[in-house]
Amino acid sequence: MAKVSMAIAALGVTLLLVAGAWAQTPKKKNLPKSQKGACCEEVRSLKVQVANLSSILEELGRKQETDLLTVVRQVMELDKQNRQQEARVTEAESKYSEINNRVEILQLQGAQSITQTSSDVMYDCASLYAKNYRISGEYKLPKDDFLRTPELTVFCDMETNGGGWTVIQRRRVGLTTFDRDWKQYKKGFGTVRGDFWLGNEHIYRLTQQATVLRIEMEDWAGDTRYAEYGSFSLSNELNSYKLLLSNYSGNAGDSLRYHNNTYFSTKDKDHDKCVDDCAALRKGGYWYNCCTDSNLNGVYYRRGEHSPRTDGINWYGWHGSSYSMKRVEMKIRPHSFRP
Ligand SMILES: [Ca+2]
């Protein structure tokens, strides 16, 4: 734009000079013919110069516009590149923090396997919490010859209501079937980061000390409820992992009470209190009575097909007997736990 202004100024000055020259030209009448011709020649040449200057100006103007457009395009391109760079940086940052988080957990696990001794209390998420492991996630509890406990991968919830929870069951993804046999329920199945059952033998062992059970659930509208039992334990396998629980609190309703004092049943072992085969009807392994007030190991149904389903993940106290939950987590911690 500055160039245009300068060119306009230059044109102005030229025009003034032309006018001045015109004014200074002696205006005598009857000029000699030769002088008259010279004057007209001068005017013509000036006119030509003015015309040339105008066309140069026009040309300059067009060039300026083109340059300006090019600059605008370049700026826009730079801005776009800048935004892309920013997005890449953000992505890199989040990846870094994720990796960092994993490293932290691994370091904690490393520290844990070095400092442990057999005289320690039973290993679970609460004992990890007591040793200052405060990040929720996957932990490997070591094998312990003294306590005769095997190595066990667990998922610890170190946040909910003070933390220290060992998760024993989760339904969230829906790709792992829970319609399994006795052996699988005994040993456990699935992956602790996704859907899983920790295993009746492990749950039996972990509930040898006074234990609290907390059940959290979410429906398909995104609402959440919980049920907590101040006392929870399983009998051993000889007693078919019989459920013993009491002392309900929460806002989901007490839909496990009906299952208290019942044996664990699977599709290949019917220990329920019914003529029917509840495990086959409800398609899971559970402490079936005749048959259910809740069916947390039932079939995972997705949004739109979750109701009405009597073999779904039901909890009568909240959504009745034919509504299947979107998410469930069962977790335990010692009664003596203090955050
Ligand atoms: Ca039966």
Short mmCIF file of all heavy atoms in Angstrom, two decimals, residues 1 4 57-73:
data_model
loop_
_atom_site.label_atom_id
_atom_site.label_comp_id
_atom_site.label_asym_id
_atom_site.label_seq_id
_atom_site.Cartn_x
_atom_site.Cartn_y
_atom_site.Cartn_z
N MET A 1 0.83 -1.20 0.00
CA MET A 1 0.00 0.00 0.00
C MET A 1 0.87 1.26 0.00
O MET A 1 0.52 2.25 -0.61
CB MET A 1 -0.93 0.02 1.23
CG MET A 1 -2.01 -1.04 1.20
SD MET A 1 -2.99 -1.09 -0.31
CE MET A 1 -4.14 0.24 0.03
N VAL A 4 1.86 2.24 -3.41
CA VAL A 4 0.77 2.88 -4.16
C VAL A 4 0.72 4.36 -3.80
O VAL A 4 0.66 5.22 -4.66
CB VAL A 4 -0.58 2.20 -3.84
CG1 VAL A 4 -1.71 2.91 -4.56
CG2 VAL A 4 -0.53 0.73 -4.26
N LEU A 57 1.01 3.01 -12.57
CA LEU A 57 0.28 3.03 -11.29
C LEU A 57 -0.72 1.89 -11.23
O LEU A 57 -0.81 1.17 -10.24
CB LEU A 57 -0.46 4.36 -11.15
CG LEU A 57 0.19 5.38 -10.25
CD1 LEU A 57 -0.67 6.62 -10.18
CD2 LEU A 57 0.42 4.83 -8.85
N GLU A 58 -1.49 1.76 -12.34
CA GLU A 58 -2.49 0.69 -12.37
C GLU A 58 -1.82 -0.67 -12.17
O GLU A 58 -2.26 -1.49 -11.38
CB GLU A 58 -3.20 0.68 -13.72
CG GLU A 58 -4.52 1.43 -13.70
CD GLU A 58 -5.16 1.44 -15.07
OE1 GLU A 58 -5.15 0.38 -15.73
OE2 GLU A 58 -5.61 2.52 -15.50
N GLU A 59 -0.70 -0.83 -12.92
CA GLU A 59 0.05 -2.08 -12.84
C GLU A 59 0.50 -2.34 -11.40
O GLU A 59 0.33 -3.43 -10.86
CB GLU A 59 1.26 -1.97 -13.78
CG GLU A 59 2.15 -3.21 -13.82
CD GLU A 59 1.41 -4.41 -14.36
OE1 GLU A 59 0.47 -4.24 -15.17
OE2 GLU A 59 1.78 -5.54 -13.96
N LEU A 60 1.04 -1.24 -10.79
CA LEU A 60 1.51 -1.34 -9.39
C LEU A 60 0.37 -1.74 -8.48
O LEU A 60 0.52 -2.60 -7.60
CB LEU A 60 2.06 0.01 -8.93
CG LEU A 60 3.57 0.20 -9.06
CD1 LEU A 60 3.94 1.63 -8.69
CD2 LEU A 60 4.33 -0.78 -8.18
N GLY A 61 -0.80 -1.10 -8.67
CA GLY A 61 -1.98 -1.40 -7.85
C GLY A 61 -2.33 -2.88 -7.93
O GLY A 61 -2.53 -3.53 -6.91
N ARG A 62 -2.37 -3.37 -9.21
CA ARG A 62 -2.72 -4.79 -9.39
C ARG A 62 -1.72 -5.68 -8.68
O ARG A 62 -2.06 -6.62 -7.99
CB ARG A 62 -2.75 -5.12 -10.88
CG ARG A 62 -4.10 -4.85 -11.52
CD ARG A 62 -4.22 -5.60 -12.84
NE ARG A 62 -3.26 -5.15 -13.82
CZ ARG A 62 -3.45 -4.06 -14.61
NH1 ARG A 62 -4.55 -3.35 -14.52
NH2 ARG A 62 -2.54 -3.71 -15.47
N LYS A 63 -0.42 -5.33 -8.84
CA LYS A 63 0.64 -6.13 -8.24
C LYS A 63 0.50 -6.13 -6.70
O LYS A 63 0.63 -7.15 -6.05
CB LYS A 63 2.01 -5.55 -8.64
CG LYS A 63 3.13 -6.54 -8.43
CD LYS A 63 4.41 -6.04 -9.02
CE LYS A 63 5.57 -6.99 -8.73
NZ LYS A 63 5.66 -7.43 -7.38
N GLN A 64 0.20 -4.92 -6.18
CA GLN A 64 0.02 -4.79 -4.73
C GLN A 64 -1.09 -5.74 -4.25
O GLN A 64 -0.92 -6.44 -3.28
CB GLN A 64 -0.37 -3.35 -4.36
CG GLN A 64 0.77 -2.37 -4.41
CD GLN A 64 1.69 -2.52 -3.21
OE1 GLN A 64 1.25 -2.91 -2.15
NE2 GLN A 64 2.96 -2.23 -3.39
N GLU A 65 -2.19 -5.72 -5.00
CA GLU A 65 -3.32 -6.58 -4.60
C GLU A 65 -2.91 -8.04 -4.59
O GLU A 65 -3.18 -8.77 -3.65
CB GLU A 65 -4.47 -6.40 -5.59
CG GLU A 65 -5.60 -5.54 -5.04
CD GLU A 65 -6.70 -5.33 -6.05
OE1 GLU A 65 -7.15 -6.32 -6.66
OE2 GLU A 65 -7.08 -4.16 -6.26
N THR A 66 -2.21 -8.43 -5.69
CA THR A 66 -1.76 -9.83 -5.79
C THR A 66 -0.83 -10.15 -4.63
O THR A 66 -0.98 -11.19 -3.97
CB THR A 66 -1.00 -10.05 -7.11
OG1 THR A 66 -1.68 -9.33 -8.12
CG2 THR A 66 -0.96 -11.53 -7.45
N ASP A 67 0.13 -9.21 -4.38
CA ASP A 67 1.07 -9.44 -3.26
C ASP A 67 0.32 -9.60 -1.95
O ASP A 67 0.60 -10.48 -1.16
CB ASP A 67 2.04 -8.24 -3.14
CG ASP A 67 3.08 -8.30 -4.24
OD1 ASP A 67 3.08 -9.30 -4.99
OD2 ASP A 67 3.87 -7.33 -4.36
N LEU A 68 -0.67 -8.71 -1.75
CA LEU A 68 -1.43 -8.72 -0.49
C LEU A 68 -2.13 -10.07 -0.33
O LEU A 68 -2.05 -10.70 0.74
CB LEU A 68 -2.47 -7.60 -0.51
CG LEU A 68 -3.13 -7.32 0.84
CD1 LEU A 68 -2.09 -6.85 1.85
CD2 LEU A 68 -4.22 -6.26 0.68
N LEU A 69 -2.77 -10.54 -1.42
CA LEU A 69 -3.46 -11.84 -1.38
C LEU A 69 -2.49 -12.95 -1.04
O LEU A 69 -2.77 -13.82 -0.21
CB LEU A 69 -4.13 -12.14 -2.71
CG LEU A 69 -5.52 -11.52 -2.89
CD1 LEU A 69 -6.02 -11.76 -4.30
CD2 LEU A 69 -6.50 -12.11 -1.88
N THR A 70 -1.30 -12.88 -1.70
CA THR A 70 -0.29 -13.91 -1.43
C THR A 70 0.11 -13.91 0.04
O THR A 70 0.18 -14.95 0.68
CB THR A 70 0.97 -13.66 -2.30
OG1 THR A 70 0.54 -13.42 -3.62
CG2 THR A 70 1.91 -14.83 -2.25
N VAL A 71 0.32 -12.68 0.57
CA VAL A 71 0.73 -12.57 1.98
C VAL A 71 -0.36 -13.14 2.88
O VAL A 71 -0.08 -13.92 3.79
CB VAL A 71 1.01 -11.09 2.35
CG1 VAL A 71 1.13 -10.93 3.85
CG2 VAL A 71 2.30 -10.63 1.67
N VAL A 72 -1.64 -12.77 2.57
CA VAL A 72 -2.75 -13.27 3.40
C VAL A 72 -2.78 -14.80 3.37
O VAL A 72 -2.90 -15.45 4.40
CB VAL A 72 -4.10 -12.69 2.90
CG1 VAL A 72 -5.27 -13.46 3.53
CG2 VAL A 72 -4.20 -11.22 3.26
N ARG A 73 -2.59 -15.34 2.13
CA ARG A 73 -2.59 -16.80 2.01
C ARG A 73 -1.47 -17.42 2.83
O ARG A 73 -1.64 -18.41 3.52
CB ARG A 73 -2.46 -17.21 0.54
CG ARG A 73 -3.82 -17.48 -0.11
CD ARG A 73 -3.65 -18.32 -1.36
NE ARG A 73 -3.00 -17.59 -2.41
CZ ARG A 73 -3.65 -16.82 -3.29
NH1 ARG A 73 -4.97 -16.71 -3.24
NH2 ARG A 73 -3.01 -16.16 -4.22
#
